[in-house]
Amino acid sequence: MSTEFEPNVVAFLCNWCSYAGADLAGTSRTHYPSNLNVIRVMCSGRVNPLYVVNALQQGADGVLVSGCHPGDCHYMEGNFYARRRFTLLRELLEYVGVEPGRFNMSWVSASEGAKWKDVVGEVTKKAKEAGPFKQFRRAKINW
Amino acid sequence: MVNVDKLKEIARETISRDDVKYLIGWRQGTYGFRAAPYFMSTPEEAEELIFSPLCTNNLATYLTLAEKLPVPRGQEPDSRKVALLVKGCDSRAVVQQLVEQGISRERVLVIGCPCRGVIDQKKVEAKFPDVREAVSAVWDGDTVVFNLPGGSVAVPRQEVLAGKCLTCRYPNPVIADVTVWEEVAVWGSDDYVDVRELEAGSPQQRWGFWEEKFASCMRCYSCRNVCPMCYCEDCVLDRLNPQWIMRSVNTAENTAFHLARAFHLAGRCIECGECERVCPVDIPLMKLNRKLTKEVRDKYAYEPGVDPEAKPLQASYRPDDKEDFIL
Amino acid sequence: MDMKKVRKEKFADFLATLAEQKLYAPQKVGESLRFAPVTDSGKVELEMSNTTVPPKSVFFPQTETLYRYEVGNTEIQQPAMGGVDIVLGVRPCDARAQVIVDSLFGWDYNDPYYQERRKATVVGLACNKPCVNCFCLSLGGGPASTVGLDLLMTDLGDAYLLQPLTEKGEKLLALAGETVETAAAGDREAAESLHGQAEQMITRKVETAGVAEKLPGLWEHSLWQETANSCLGCGICTFLCPTCHCFDIQDEVEGLEGRRCRMWDSCMFKEYTLHASGHNPRPTRRERTRNRINHKYSYFVQKFGHTACVGCGRCINYCPVNIDLVEILRQVKEAL
């Protein structure tokens, strides 16, 4: 029996916009892929790039960081810092050989339940295309 | 022109000052083509000072490496300045430390030495293997002259200079209280050919390039310790709780370590190349750092360690920063 | 015991006779040489000065699982021990170093993980061309020292002379069968002359007599601060040292299972002596540098009767700031 590969995607959602947006999608009974493992953080600017690396190490096949639209940050400017940080991290990950599409970022506001559905669909699709992440997954070497 | 006598004179004057704790320079190493960092606290010690193509070490590291022990009760902290000699690349480290407020300007005295490029020891040792004696070297036009035991040999500098020097755009110190001799002409330019070559491959090819190199890392942390920009009091690599990167040595943890190290230098690396020079297992770390330097330059038109008034790249933003990959 | 030799064109066949066993030999990993399991005899690199990483990494791996555990199971699981049958291409200095490390791992507690690997046959490779910073002669070794070896190979140009030293060495030669031949009459002389020439090439010397007695009196000497000024506090000198054997033990947990493992640690690291209280008895690089030299040349001597240094020169070769052990020992001798 062959089963389709179901990726494991870790999503860091900001408390004020993206998490609320995902909530809205839920309460609106929107159907979207269930591959996401959501971790709520106070702001996308709070996400340490090491979290992303660590998620990939511990078994994520894709990572999403989602925050408020630029200008809408609850803390005024957190997402601006996050934007610079993750633009560079994405370049670095791809440079060492992580497939493009494993790391994603999105802006989803609290009212964008519909956009959230699209984002999840897109991120899951990309992770599925990239396949299981192997490069620096914590393998149990010598365990 | 490099005038070591003049440099020694300035060094003696500097060390004699009451407000200077010590002067950091270079002296001839104990064997082969080495120079060693040299801490001088009396004027007589300046006699051993050198400035030559052997002076690879970036001394700006020592500004932040010195341990800050608690001052015993009843004693005043030592507020004297630390004086140091800098090449062009080293001076950018000083500027970047100032930008990040890692050091304060009144605590350092910078003596600028316009530089015509330092050697890559590996290249020189390949050319002249098994040289036990300490060999001095000087610049002469477009060559580097090595005073080998059997006589002097001039080598075109293209053949022996470190890679970073061949693409150097800052041979003259960008910050200095004194500049010892006249500035030298900029001969290099940098179009990141090495980075572009690797970028052109597929993800599998790129991982193929890095995998074995990361796997061979012993995590001796010499790249971190030698880096003038790695000066956190409490490094994420040393913490046990939370321990983001495990201490065991394998491909996964080593890759996470190298990603963390490189990323922590994003927009901060001043390309002195020390990490790559010191690596005992020859991991091409500058290829990793320079990828981020290139992205920082292309995306944000930012160059670290040039303007002491600049803001650190990742502690600032522009509302219209590019975001073409964001969904 | 009869000497044999193996012609270089037959060397791959010779290695093939050992294929049944777990063989480690110098190979290029990434950009540098170290001992690694042999899967392709073509990759074995014997035309080298010495490996960057010493063969201690085979007997005492940088990271090693002591046992595993999981939630819901009170039993611990031990990993398979051993896994090393032959280590080939070990330089005489590194073989002597391993004997020094033996005294530590077989002292108050007989370390089973280490001892199991030490049962392996060690095949040495005499140095025909020592490096510039070798000073093994000063520490009782030499380019053809046989301490800690079961078999010594000497590169004669077109062949390797194989000189068995122990029963294990004999056994290995017996396995080799037709790939080796009886050494010719002149081969032994040729090898000895090469060994003699190699000794002549070693120019660095240290005077170790009296250092162990003198070091305690130099506790507050300025030389430690002077040396430590330029020290970066990295782990190159200790990780690459064939006798350095300090380790840390940590738990690594993932999900519901974990392992306890030990990994190399370095006395040059700040956190090596850091207490949980935040107090650090070796707060600066001065104390750490002093400890490194004292441990090698004083404490170890007091405990085991010999220095924990074999003069392989790695710490000098690879130190990024030219901290030179020979120079430090000279200063110790001269210090008042």
Side-chain angles (χ1 to χ4, degrees):
Chain A
M1 189 184 83
S2 74
T3 48
E4 208 186 344
F5 165 65
E6 284 300 334
N8 180 0
V9 180
V10 173
F12 295 96
L13 307 187
C14 96
N15 179 53
W16 305 100
C17 295
S18 296
Y19 192 86
D23 219 14
L24 177 64
T27 47
S28 318
R29 312 226 161 198
T30 313
H31 285 273
Y32 60 82
S34 59
N35 302 61
L36 249 59
N37 292 293
V38 173
I39 297 175
R40 174 156 68 158
V41 290
M42 289 310 283
C43 177
S44 56
R46 190 257 173 275
V47 183
N48 185 330
L50 272 180
Y51 295 179
V52 177
V53 174
N54 202 265
L56 289 171
Q57 271 192 289
Q58 295 207 47
D61 302 303
V63 179
L64 170 71
V65 175
S66 188
C68 310
H69 284 272
D72 291 348
C73 178
H74 187 78
Y75 306 101
M76 315 309 288
E77 51 187 19
N79 54 2
F80 286 127
Y81 295 119
R83 184 168 63 184
R84 280 201 167 181
R85 201 176 291 157
F86 291 110
T87 304
L88 292 172
L89 182 72
R90 181 170 162 274
E91 291 290 346
L92 183 64
L93 287 174
E94 287 186 18
Y95 187 63
V96 299
V98 176
E99 294 83 355
R102 287 223 192 266
F103 176 71
N104 295 284
M105 204 171 169
S106 63
W107 306 136
V108 175
S109 81
S111 62
E112 290 178 323
K115 181 175 179 186
W116 175 246
K117 177 187 176 213
D118 297 342
V119 165
V120 176
E122 177 78 15
V123 168
T124 311
K125 187 172 134 262
K126 281 182 177 176
K128 206 173 261 182
E129 279 165 10
F133 179 72
K134 290 196 197 83
Q135 283 89 319
F136 51 91
R137 163 93 179 87
R138 262 181 199 155
K140 289 181 180 156
I141 307 160
N142 301 327
W143 269 49
Chain B
M1 245 344 257
V2 173
N3 180 345
V4 179
D5 290 325
K6 190 177 171 199
L7 179 63
K8 286 181 185 171
E9 190 50 46
I10 292 174
R12 273 189 287 269
E13 277 169 30
T14 310
I15 305 166
S16 309
R17 283 170 57 163
D18 288 339
D19 63 341
V20 170
K21 189 151 70 178
Y22 48 68
L23 168 69
I24 317 173
W26 302 271
R27 67 171 154 188
Q28 186 69 41
T30 56
Y31 70 92
F33 306 91
R34 306 286 162 123
Y38 183 33
F39 286 63
M40 291 156 274
S41 43
T42 61
E44 297 76 55
E45 287 174 310
E47 206 36 56
E48 272 192 67
L49 185 62
I50 62 163
F51 186 73
S52 78
L54 306 183
C55 299
T56 44
N57 304 67
N58 182 348
L59 305 175
T61 302
Y62 294 106
L63 294 176
T64 50
L65 198 65
E67 291 88 356
K68 294 170 205 70
L69 293 181
V71 181
R73 200 173 296 159
Q75 280 182 28
E76 284 295 308
D78 189 343
S79 60
R80 289 177 297 169
K81 291 172 196 286
V82 170
L84 84 160
L85 305 188
V86 293
K87 309 186 288 288
C89 46
D90 310 347
S91 73
R92 288 182 64 194
V94 176
V95 169
Q96 189 61 20
Q97 288 174 348
L98 288 169
V99 163
E100 297 168 5
Q101 301 177 8
I103 54 172
S104 57
R105 187 68 185 90
E106 58 274 19
R107 290 290 190 84
V108 287
L109 205 148
V110 186
I111 301 175
C113 306
C115 162
R116 295 163 71 191
V118 293
I119 58 156
D120 179 331
Q121 270 138 3
K122 284 170 194 126
K123 287 185 193 168
V124 180
E125 279 165 9
K127 242 181 210 326
F128 308 111
D130 304 314
V131 178
R132 160 71 194 92
E133 296 78 6
V135 176
S136 64
V138 287
W139 289 282
D140 184 14
D142 275 341
T143 63
V144 176
V145 179
F146 295 98
N147 300 312
L148 293 159
S152 299
V153 180
V155 183
R157 62 178 181 185
Q158 294 289 334
E159 293 175 23
V160 285
L161 288 198
K164 61 161 181 173
C165 297
L166 298 173
T167 56
C168 175
R169 288 163 300 125
Y170 293 94
N172 300 305
V174 292
I175 188 170
D177 295 297
V178 197
T179 303
V180 190
W181 42 76
E182 67 273 22
E183 301 205 331
V184 299
V186 181
W187 66 83
S189 65
D190 199 346
D191 42 16
Y192 295 93
V193 181
D194 52 337
V195 176
R196 282 177 213 281
E197 262 172 23
L198 192 52
E199 276 174 348
S202 67
Q204 288 73 25
Q205 283 167 330
R206 290 195 293 266
W207 177 244
F209 177 85
W210 288 111
E211 184 180 12
E212 211 185 27
K213 295 184 172 67
F214 288 154
S216 73
C217 175
M218 300 190 304
R219 308 268 292 275
C220 68
Y221 294 154
S222 55
C223 48
R224 175 194 66 174
N225 289 19
V226 81
C227 178
M229 303 323 303
C230 271
Y231 55 83
C232 289
E233 279 285 298
D234 195 2
C235 176
V236 68
L237 301 169
D238 296 338
R239 298 211 54 165
L240 293 174
N241 192 11
Q243 189 178 32
W244 287 109
I245 297 162
M246 288 180 182
R247 195 67 185 78
S248 62
V249 173
N250 56 48
T251 309
E253 303 306 323
N254 291 359
T255 305
F257 156 57
H258 281 288
L259 288 175
R261 195 198 62 84
F263 189 80
H264 284 177
L265 289 171
R268 305 173 63 231
C269 173
I270 46 88
E271 297 181 78
C272 66
E274 283 286 88
C275 46
E276 186 169 303
R277 178 182 74 84
V278 304
C279 181
V281 293
D282 294 335
I283 302 171
L285 292 167
M286 283 304 285
K287 241 189 160 104
L288 204 54
N289 294 346
R290 279 163 55 78
K291 162 70 180 171
L292 286 170
T293 316
K294 170 175 166 283
E295 294 307 325
V296 164
R297 187 172 80 169
D298 293 353
K299 290 195 160 69
Y300 306 111
Y302 185 91
E303 195 158 34
V306 178
D307 173 13
E309 305 301 320
K311 280 196 84 181
L313 178 84
Q314 291 199 52
S316 54
Y317 64 88
R318 284 219 313 268
D320 59 345
D321 279 340
K322 282 200 185 84
E323 54 167 53
D324 39 14
F325 83 101
I326 297 175
L327 300 169
Chain C
M1 289 179 247
D2 284 350
M3 287 205 199
K4 303 268 176 178
K5 73 174 175 183
V6 53
R7 300 203 167 273
K8 283 197 179 165
E9 61 267 22
K10 283 197 171 170
F11 192 68
D13 300 334
F14 170 68
L15 289 182
T17 63
L18 311 174
E20 297 276 295
Q21 307 184 57
K22 296 230 174 73
L23 171 67
Y24 280 71
Q27 286 169 74
K28 201 168 177 200
V29 177
E31 299 291 308
S32 61
L33 286 176
R34 68 177 65 197
F35 284 81
V38 178
T39 49
D40 171 4
S41 61
K43 284 188 180 158
V44 173
E45 184 73 64
L46 294 179
E47 312 276 332
M48 49 144 198
S49 54
N50 202 350
T51 53
T52 302
V53 185
K56 77 167 175 187
S57 64
V58 176
F59 302 110
F60 169 41
Q62 183 158 13
T63 312
E64 149 167 56
T65 304
L66 300 179
Y67 56 81
R68 295 178 283 265
Y69 47 79
E70 58 194 11
V71 167
N73 184 356
T74 51
E75 298 287 313
I76 56 166
Q77 304 137 39
Q78 279 211 323
M81 288 202 209
V84 186
D85 295 322
I86 305 169
V87 187
L88 183 138
V90 178
R91 290 296 186 188
C93 53
D94 293 337
R96 290 185 67 235
Q98 216 53 54
V99 175
I100 289 173
V101 179
D102 286 347
S103 45
L104 190 276
F105 282 112
W107 163 55
D108 59 345
Y109 179 71
N110 219 351
D111 190 288
Y113 304 91
Y114 178 82
Q115 299 297 0
E116 196 58 34
R117 293 200 194 88
R118 276 297 273 159
K119 289 181 184 157
T121 308
V122 183
V123 182
L125 177 62
C127 295
N128 289 358
K129 200 159 161 263
C131 351
V132 293
N133 286 317
C134 289
F135 56 103
C136 52
L137 286 177
S138 306
L139 287 146
S145 153
T146 54
V147 178
L149 292 177
D150 298 306
L151 184 77
L152 180 69
M153 307 202 306
T154 305
D155 188 346
L156 297 174
D158 58 347
Y160 291 105
L161 182 72
L162 305 168
Q163 180 185 353
L165 301 158
T166 64
E167 228 168 83
K168 281 197 276 180
E170 294 269 9
K171 252 186 219 161
L172 193 144
L173 282 190
L175 274 179
E178 294 297 297
T179 60
V180 297
E181 54 193 271
T182 310
D187 289 338
R188 192 195 185 111
E189 285 73 35
E192 274 168 11
S193 126
L194 283 170
H195 299 162
Q197 280 171 26
E199 279 193 20
Q200 296 299 316
M201 284 187 230
I202 298 176
T203 53
R204 299 213 83 173
K205 285 181 181 61
V206 291
E207 185 62 57
T208 52
V211 169
E213 293 74 34
K214 198 165 181 188
L215 276 170
L218 297 177
W219 196 249
E220 295 295 337
H221 196 278
S222 61
L223 91 92
W224 304 122
Q225 186 61 57
E226 283 155 21
T227 309
N229 271 337
S230 60
C231 177
L232 298 169
C234 73
I236 291 181
C237 50
T238 46
F239 279 6
L240 295 186
C241 176
T243 70
C244 273
H245 48 252
C246 287
F247 56 83
D248 188 17
I249 294 183
Q250 292 189 5
D251 275 13
E252 297 194 339
V253 181
E254 198 187 324
L256 296 177
E257 50 189 350
R259 64 161 172 169
R260 176 155 297 183
C261 52
R262 72 171 163 203
M263 53 269 290
W264 293 357
D265 202 354
S266 167
C267 59
M268 303 309 286
F269 291 155
K270 176 175 72 180
E271 67 275 17
Y272 179 81
T273 45
L274 186 65
H275 293 183
S277 68
H279 170 67
N280 196 336
R282 292 189 205 133
T284 72
R285 289 163 293 146
R286 170 178 169 267
E287 290 82 10
R288 289 171 219 142
T289 308
R290 181 174 67 190
N291 175 73
R292 181 167 80 92
I293 305 298
N294 269 279
H295 186 235
K296 292 202 169 306
Y297 281 90
S298 170
Y299 311 149
F300 209 84
V301 181
Q302 286 164 28
K303 204 166 201 94
F304 299 111
H306 45 81
T307 50
C309 173
V310 291
C312 72
R314 282 193 184 87
C315 57
I316 310 176
N317 287 335
Y318 293 98
C319 179
V321 295
N322 192 228
I323 290 176
D324 190 324
L325 184 66
V326 174
E327 182 63 19
I328 297 175
L329 290 173
R330 189 187 61 74
Q331 289 179 33
V332 167
K333 283 299 270 186
E334 285 175 5
L336 294 173

